[in-house]
Amino acid sequence: APDQASAPPAIASQSGGCGVAGGRMTDTRRRVKVYTLNEDRQWDDRGTGHVSSCYVERLKGMSLLVRAESDGSLLLESKINPNTAYQKQQDTLIVWSEAENYDLALSFQEKAGCDEIWEKICQVQGKDPSVDITQDLVDESEEERFDDMSSPGLELPSCELSRLEEIAELVASSLPSPLRREKLALALENEGYIKKLLEIFHVCEDLENIEGLHHLYEIIKGIFLLNRTALFEVMFSEECIMDVIGCLEYDPSLSQSRKHREFLTKTAKFKEVIPISDPELKQKIHQTYRVQYIQDMVLPTPSVFEENMLSTLHSFIFFNKVEIVGMLQEDEKFLTDLFAQLTDEATDEEKRQELVNFLKEFCAFSQTLQPQNRDAFFKTLSNMGILPALEVILGMDDAQVRSAATDIFSYLVEYNPSMVREFVMQEAQQNDDDILLINLIIEHMICDTDPELGGAVLLMGLLRTLVDPENMLATANKTEKTEFLGFFYKHCMHVLTAPLLANTTEDKPSKDDFQTAQLLALILELLTFCVEHHTYHIKNYIINKDILRRVLVLMASKHAFLALCALRFKRKIIGLKDEFYNRYIMKSFLFEPVVKAFLNNGSRYNLMNSAIIEMFEFIRVEDIKSLTAHVIENYWKALEDVDYVQTFKGLKLRFEQQRERQDNPKLDSMRSILRNHRYRRDARTLEDEEEMWFNTDEDDMEDGEAVVPPSDKPKNDEDIMDPISKFMERKKLKESEEKEVLLKTNLSGRQSPSFKLSFSSGTKSNITSQSSASNLPGSPGSPGSPGSPGSPGSVSKSTSQMAAITTKGGLVGLVDYPDDDEEDDEDEDKEETLPLSKKAKLESS
C-alpha cells in the first residue's frame, strides 16, 4: 500500500473556523488548530493554540511547538525532521506524517502565519518555500526514482476524444507511485485539464460513445484517488460537480449505467424549512450533500489498498459540515424563526415534522465541532429555548415528531445533563407534574409501542444519565445532587414506578406478557441503579411505599429475566447491609417470595437457583446477624434438606453460634478480655449528604424523608408454605437439644458431631472457615479466619490454633471464638464514641 506520508490528507479551508468562544486573541497570525488522523481515517481535533518554532535541546533540533490558548499546556512538540515530507495545502494548512500511521495537520487562522512556519520548515530542510511539498518519500527502486527525477514534470497527452485510452492508462500507471501521483496532480491543476475532460464527456454522451465514457470513468475515479484538495475544489464546484457524477455513472463493470444525476435533480428535493438568505451557505449545503452522495453511493467501495487514498474526501465533507453549522449558528434570524414556528400551535403537522427533522440533523452535524465550538453551539440553542420547545413537541400526538424530538433530547443530555436538570427544576415551579419534561420522557418510555422497546431502552439510558450522581456538580453555594434528587423523588419517581405498582397489586403480576415484562425489567434496572447510588433518597421511597414487597411479586412471573431482575433488586439492597432495610425486610417477611421461588425451581440447576443461593451465601459470609436469625427462625424447615451446597447449614451454624453467645454471657465477657484487638476500616463510608441527613434534627426533615417502616404484615400460618408450617411444632424441642450439644462442644473444645458430619470433605472446609467471619449488620464483612472452630483435622491441631489466636500480652485463653464476635465488640465500642445526637438519631430510627 502506498505510504500515507507521501500523499497526506488535506483539510478543507475554514472561513473563520479557527475562532473560539470567548473572543479573539491578539496574535491571530500564529493561531492554529491541531488535528490528528484516527484509525477510522477521520480527523480528530486536538485543540486550539499558538504555534512557534524554536530549538529544543531534548529533541536536538528545531521543532514546532503549539501551546493551548486555554491553559498554556503543550498540545504539540514535533521536531522538524530533515527527511519528513511536509505538505502545504490551501494556503492555511500544513500536513505531515510523524510515523507510519500517525498523521498530523496544523490549520492556521491566517495565511501569513502559515507562510511564516512554512518558511521555517523549508529553511531546516533546505527547500525553496515556493514548493507545496518538501520531500518525496517513495518506495520504488533507485532506477525508477532516477527515471522520474530526470524528467522535470509530467506531460499529459492533449485532451482529445481519440486519446482518452492513453490518458486513462497514464492515470492508472501513475497511481502506484507517490512521486508520479504528485506530478500527475500538479499537471492536472496547472493545465485546467479536468474542465477539458468534462467537455469531452458531453461530446461522448451526445455521440453515445460508450467506450469513451468507460475511459472517462476510469480517469475521473483515478483523479479521486490522487487525494488532492486542489483537484476536489475544481471537481466539486457548482459548474463541474454534476458532470463529474455523470462520468461516474458509466462503470465498465456494470451492464447498465446508473442514473445518479436523475436522482439528484428530480428525486432528491432540497427543502428550505426556513428560507436561507445567505447564497454561500445554500451553495455549501448543496455541495456537501452531493459530495456525501458521491462518497456513499457513486464511488465504488475502496479496496484495502485504496482506503487511505480517499482520506482527503472525508476531510472535505467533515470541514464543510463544520462551516455549515457555524454559519447557521451565527444567523440569529434563522434560529429565531425556527423555534418560533416549532412552538406555534398554528404550524401544521407536516411543517412541524420538517422543522424537527431539520433541528435533529443540525444537532447531528454539531458532533463534528471541536469542544469549545460545541459549547457555544449548545449554549446558543439553550438561549433560543430548545428545552421548552422540546417540551411542547413531546406533548404532541405525532409519533414521528416525538421520535425526532427524543433524538434531539438525547444529544442535549449526553452533552450537558446539568443544563437539562437545571431547566426541569425551574419549570417545576410553574408547571404541574404531568407536563414536566422528564415526566413526558418517562411517559414515552412507558408507552413505547415497539415490541422490542427500542425507544424505551434509549430513554431509560437518558434517565440514568440524568439521575447519575457521578456527573452532578457540587459548588460552594449549592449541591446539584441534593437539589435534583430531592426534586426527582418528589415530582417524577411516582410516574416511573406507576406501571410497577399497577401490575403488582396481587400475589402475582396482573399482566405478564412479554412487552410488559420488558418494560418492568427496564424500570427495575433503573431502580437498582438508584439503590446503589442514591442512598437515603431511595431508601425512604422504598420503605415508605413498600416498593420491595411489590417488586418481589414479580418473582412469580413466567418470564425468568423479570424474576431475576426482581431478585437482583433485592440482592442490591441486602448488599448495602443497612439495618433500616434489614428491619423492613424482616417486618414484612420479604424472604418468603424468594424461598417460594427457590422451592418452585426444584432441582433445576439454572441461573435462578444460583442467584438465590448466592444471596443467602452473602448473608452467611458477611454474617448479617439479623437476617441470619430471621431466615433460620422462619424458613429453616423448608431449606434444611438442601445439601448440594453447604450455604444453609452454614447459616444454621451462624445462628446457633449467635444463640450460644447470647445464652453464655460469661464466655462472651471472658472473650472480650482475651480477644486480639484488630482495627478495621469500613469500606463503605457514608456520603456527605447522608451524614448531613443523620445529623439533621427530625424537625428539619422535608416531607416524606423520615424513614418509617411499613406496618407489620400479619404473619399467618396459611401464608407460609407447607414445608415451613410444620417446623414451629418441633422448634422448642429441637432448640433445647441443639443447645445442650453446643454447650458440651464448646466447653470441651471439640467439634460438634453434627458440624463434623456436615463438613467432612476437605473442599468444604473453605466454607466452614469463612463461616466464622462476623460483622455488625450494616458494615462490610471480611473473610473468616483460618483458625475458626470447625476446621477439619485433629483435635490437638484445632485447639492449638485457637490458643494461638487468643494469645495476647502473655495470656492464653483455653476457650475462644476467634473472629466470631470480635468485630461486634469493636463496633459496639465505636458506637459508644459516637456523638450523643447522632447515636440518639440512629436509635430513634
Side-chain angles (χ1 to χ4, degrees):
D3 186 5
Q4 179 63 21
S6 305
I11 301 180
S13 63
Q14 305 159 62
S15 53
C18 269
V20 276
R24 294 172 63 88
M25 300 291 290
T26 52
D27 184 14
T28 57
R29 190 166 46 90
R30 293 286 188 92
R31 196 149 176 263
V32 294
K33 292 181 191 173
V34 180
Y35 290 94
T36 58
L37 200 65
N38 63 27
E39 292 177 355
D40 299 324
R41 313 308 299 170
Q42 300 292 322
W43 288 102
D44 289 337
D45 185 355
R46 296 300 182 189
T48 302
H50 290 79
V51 65
S52 62
S53 61
C54 60
Y55 185 85
V56 176
E57 182 64 34
R58 184 174 59 82
L59 300 176
K60 304 295 183 188
M62 290 294 291
S63 303
L64 297 177
L65 304 178
V66 179
R67 294 198 174 274
E69 66 180 1
S70 56
D71 56 7
S73 61
L74 202 60
L75 293 178
L76 176 70
E77 184 180 61
S78 173
K79 180 182 176 181
I80 302 173
N81 193 313
N83 299 318
T84 296
Y86 290 85
Q87 187 175 1
K88 186 167 75 163
Q89 300 174 358
Q90 303 175 18
D91 294 333
T92 56
L93 290 161
I94 297 176
V95 185
W96 73 99
S97 295
E98 292 239 325
E100 187 174 343
N101 290 313
Y102 190 67
D103 292 54
L104 287 160
L106 293 180
S107 174
F108 288 78
Q109 181 162 345
E110 294 185 9
K111 179 180 182 298
C114 182
D115 291 342
E116 191 175 327
I117 294 299
W118 184 249
E119 285 180 18
K120 294 281 186 185
I121 293 170
C122 291
Q123 184 181 346
V124 171
Q125 295 199 342
K127 301 290 180 181
D128 185 344
S130 63
V131 301
D132 284 340
I133 185 166
T134 62
Q135 300 283 334
D136 292 316
L137 293 183
V138 293
D139 296 329
E140 61 258 82
S141 67
E142 290 295 325
E143 187 179 340
E144 284 178 309
R145 186 183 305 178
F146 178 77
D147 290 343
D148 280 332
M149 294 301 289
S150 61
S151 57
L154 190 69
E155 286 191 15
L156 292 169
S158 58
C159 196
E160 299 172 6
L161 179 57
S162 59
R163 304 191 71 174
L164 283 178
E165 185 174 1
E166 185 183 344
I167 298 169
E169 287 175 358
L170 175 64
V171 171
S173 65
S174 299
L175 289 176
S177 163
L179 183 59
R180 289 179 182 173
R181 279 209 313 270
E182 185 67 27
K183 290 185 175 181
L184 175 60
L186 287 172
L188 289 169
E189 286 176 41
N190 295 336
E191 299 181 23
Y193 209 80
I194 292 175
K195 291 187 178 180
K196 295 176 184 176
L197 286 170
L198 296 178
E199 289 173 7
I200 295 178
F201 166 70
H202 286 290
V203 174
C204 287
E205 275 210 315
D206 292 341
L207 299 174
E208 296 184 357
N209 184 339
I210 300 301
E211 185 182 355
L213 292 170
H214 285 169
H215 290 319
L216 282 166
Y217 171 89
E218 298 292 351
I219 294 167
I220 295 297
K221 180 190 167 189
I223 294 174
F224 269 96
L225 296 177
L226 291 176
N227 216 25
R228 294 281 290 197
T229 306
L231 296 178
F232 285 161
E233 287 177 349
V234 175
M235 295 165 73
F236 299 152
S237 63
E238 187 73 24
E239 59 177 311
C240 296
I241 189 166
M242 294 307 287
D243 291 338
V244 168
I245 293 171
C247 292
L248 293 171
E249 290 180 356
Y250 294 95
D251 186 344
S253 64
L254 301 175
S255 57
Q256 196 171 359
S257 63
R258 298 300 175 94
K259 305 291 183 185
H260 297 303
R261 285 172 295 173
E262 185 179 327
F263 172 83
L264 288 170
T265 53
K266 295 180 181 177
T267 309
K269 298 293 183 186
F270 176 64
K271 286 187 177 180
E272 291 183 74
V273 289
I274 303 289
I276 296 173
S277 55
D278 186 348
E280 185 186 349
L281 172 59
K282 194 180 293 189
Q283 190 273 330
K284 186 72 71 177
I285 292 171
H286 282 299
Q287 184 190 58
T288 305
Y289 175 78
R290 289 165 181 169
V291 176
Q292 184 94 51
Y293 183 83
I294 290 172
Q295 183 192 44
D296 296 340
M297 304 298 297
V298 181
L299 283 177
T301 305
S303 69
V304 175
F305 299 104
E306 295 173 339
E307 217 166 54
N308 294 342
M309 300 169 78
L310 290 174
S311 57
T312 306
L313 184 62
H314 300 314
S315 300
F316 191 96
I317 295 167
F318 173 85
F319 286 106
N320 261 19
K321 288 180 178 180
V322 171
E323 282 189 55
I324 290 169
V325 172
M327 294 165 85
L328 284 172
Q329 189 181 331
E330 290 166 11
D331 192 338
E332 288 190 12
K333 182 180 184 305
F334 180 89
L335 290 178
T336 306
D337 290 348
L338 173 68
F339 284 104
Q341 291 190 37
L342 262 178
T343 52
D344 189 353
E345 292 182 4
T347 306
D348 62 69
E349 286 188 12
E350 186 178 350
K351 177 72 171 177
R352 198 186 314 276
Q353 188 173 331
E354 290 174 356
L355 291 165
V356 174
N357 285 334
F358 168 80
L359 189 55
K360 173 184 167 182
E361 193 171 358
F362 191 33
C363 290
F365 269 34
S366 74
Q367 302 306 297
T368 61
L369 296 173
Q370 63 185 97
Q372 62 263 39
N373 287 354
R374 204 180 311 158
D375 285 347
F377 172 80
F378 281 109
K379 195 169 183 181
T380 301
L381 290 187
S382 178
N383 293 339
M384 288 287 176
I386 188 168
L387 285 165
L390 285 179
E391 197 169 50
V392 172
I393 298 164
L394 286 167
M396 295 179 178
D397 297 330
D398 191 325
Q400 286 183 317
V401 168
R402 289 202 311 265
S403 174
T406 301
D407 290 336
I408 297 167
F409 184 69
S410 72
Y411 285 121
L412 295 171
V413 171
E414 287 165 14
Y415 169 71
N416 190 347
S418 291
M419 177 178 77
V420 178
R421 292 190 200 104
E422 187 177 352
F423 168 75
V424 295
M425 284 192 286
Q426 287 174 354
E427 65 162 347
Q429 298 169 7
Q430 293 100 24
N431 298 337
D432 296 333
D433 286 0
D434 294 343
I435 58 172
L436 295 183
L437 181 58
I438 291 190
N439 286 346
L440 290 172
I441 293 294
I442 295 172
E443 285 170 18
H444 289 318
M445 181 197 78
I446 292 169
C447 301
D448 188 4
T449 54
D450 178 8
E452 297 298 324
L453 293 188
V457 171
L458 168 68
L459 293 172
M460 184 59 73
L462 298 179
L463 284 174
R464 174 183 283 210
T465 303
L466 286 173
V467 301
D468 187 354
E470 295 297 321
N471 61 46
M472 293 184 185
L473 306 174
T475 58
N477 52 2
K478 70 169 189 174
T479 305
E480 187 181 19
K481 176 179 175 180
T482 306
E483 290 186 7
F484 181 74
L485 291 184
F487 156 81
F488 183 79
Y489 280 87
K490 186 175 182 181
H491 297 280
C492 308
M493 185 57 98
H494 66 280
V495 183
L496 178 67
T497 55
L500 171 68
L501 297 175
N503 211 36
T504 53
T505 52
E506 307 296 333
D507 291 337
K508 61 180 183 179
S510 51
K511 281 183 69 180
D512 205 19
D513 58 278
F514 179 69
Q515 193 163 355
T516 303
Q518 273 190 309
L519 176 63
L520 293 179
L522 280 176
I523 293 171
L524 278 179
E525 188 180 328
L526 186 60
L527 289 177
T528 306
F529 177 84
C530 293
V531 167
E532 184 176 4
H533 294 279
H534 290 176
T535 59
Y536 62 90
H537 286 95
I538 188 71
K539 185 196 303 180
N540 294 334
Y541 191 80
I542 288 173
I543 294 176
N544 286 328
K545 302 292 185 184
D546 201 12
I547 294 294
L548 180 55
R549 185 176 67 80
R550 304 294 284 271
V551 167
L552 291 175
V553 170
L554 301 176
M555 293 286 293
S557 170
K558 66 184 180 185
H559 299 285
F561 71 88
L562 180 57
L564 286 165
C565 280
L567 185 64
R568 192 181 307 121
F569 179 70
K570 180 172 183 177
R571 173 64 178 82
K572 186 67 73 176
I573 288 174
I574 290 176
L576 297 176
K577 294 184 289 189
D578 186 311
E579 275 302 295
F580 284 110
Y581 278 129
N582 292 346
R583 286 200 294 271
Y584 162 55
I585 289 170
M586 293 185 294
K587 279 178 175 288
S588 299
F589 296 96
L590 295 181
F591 276 102
E592 186 177 318
V594 177
V595 176
K596 278 184 178 176
F598 183 67
L599 296 179
N600 290 337
N601 191 60
S603 59
R604 283 175 290 178
Y605 178 47
N606 54 17
L607 193 56
M608 178 64 73
N609 174 276
S610 299
I612 293 175
I613 289 174
E614 190 277 335
M615 177 188 290
F616 286 110
E617 181 68 10
F618 177 82
I619 294 170
R620 186 192 72 78
V621 171
E622 299 295 334
D623 196 14
I624 305 176
K625 292 181 173 57
S626 56
L627 295 184
T628 300
H630 176 75
V631 169
I632 296 302
E633 286 172 356
N634 294 283
Y635 308 106
W636 169 244
K637 188 59 182 172
L639 301 171
E640 66 176 338
D641 294 331
V642 179
D643 55 5
Y644 53 86
V645 290
Q646 301 305 319
T647 295
F648 301 109
K649 288 185 172 60
L651 267 178
K652 183 72 172 1
L653 177 67
R654 287 280 198 203
F655 174 68
E656 289 168 344
Q657 290 171 340
Q658 291 173 29
R659 292 288 300 273
E660 189 277 330
R661 283 195 293 275
Q662 291 169 5
D663 293 342
N664 293 273
K666 290 182 180 178
L667 287 176
D668 209 33
S669 61
M670 182 192 299
R671 181 184 172 286
S672 67
I673 296 169
L674 301 175
R675 72 172 185 265
N676 180 18
H677 287 278
R678 287 184 296 127
Y679 296 92
R680 173 178 52 80
R681 180 173 299 202
D682 192 344
R684 189 180 71 87
T685 56
L686 292 172
E687 297 187 25
D688 294 341
E689 290 86 359
E690 192 164 5
E691 285 202 90
M692 286 167 54
W693 178 75
F694 279 123
N695 288 326
T696 307
D697 292 334
E698 275 89 342
D699 298 339
D700 297 337
M701 283 190 177
E702 294 183 13
D703 292 341
E705 281 206 1
V707 177
V708 182
S711 57
D712 290 3
K713 176 183 171 185
K715 175 91 170 146
N716 191 339
D717 284 345
E718 296 176 0
D719 293 339
I720 307 300
M721 57 214 81
D722 291 338
I724 301 172
S725 60
K726 297 177 184 177
F727 168 61
M728 301 305 291
E729 301 171 10
R730 298 167 48 195
K731 186 175 178 184
K732 290 184 180 179
L733 178 61
K734 192 172 177 72
E735 280 178 354
S736 61
E737 290 173 355
E738 289 169 351
K739 183 174 173 184
E740 184 178 347
V741 172
L742 277 170
L743 283 171
K744 289 177 182 177
T745 303
N746 291 323
L747 290 171
S748 64
R750 295 177 179 273
Q751 298 171 339
S752 66
S754 61
F755 183 72
K756 191 170 183 180
L757 287 171
S758 299
F759 302 99
S760 56
S761 69
T763 56
K764 292 173 185 172
S765 67
N766 294 330
I767 299 176
T768 61
S769 67
Q770 291 177 9
S771 70
S772 324
S774 175
N775 298 326
L776 246 185
S779 334
S782 56
S785 163
S788 304
S791 300
S794 65
V795 174
S796 61
K797 183 179 178 183
S798 174
T799 357
S800 68
Q801 284 177 329
M802 289 178 174
I805 289 174
T806 57
T807 301
K808 185 170 192 252
L811 295 175
V812 178
L814 297 176
V815 180
D816 196 13
Y817 297 93
D819 291 353
D820 271 350
D821 204 30
E822 172 177 309
E823 292 173 354
D824 270 343
D825 295 336
E826 287 178 21
D827 282 351
E828 286 164 15
D829 295 342
K830 286 179 190 174
E831 190 176 344
E832 293 299 319
T833 64
L834 286 171
L836 287 175
S837 62
K838 185 176 287 191
K839 187 176 175 187
K841 170 70 101 178
L842 286 165
E843 289 173 352
S844 66
S845 301

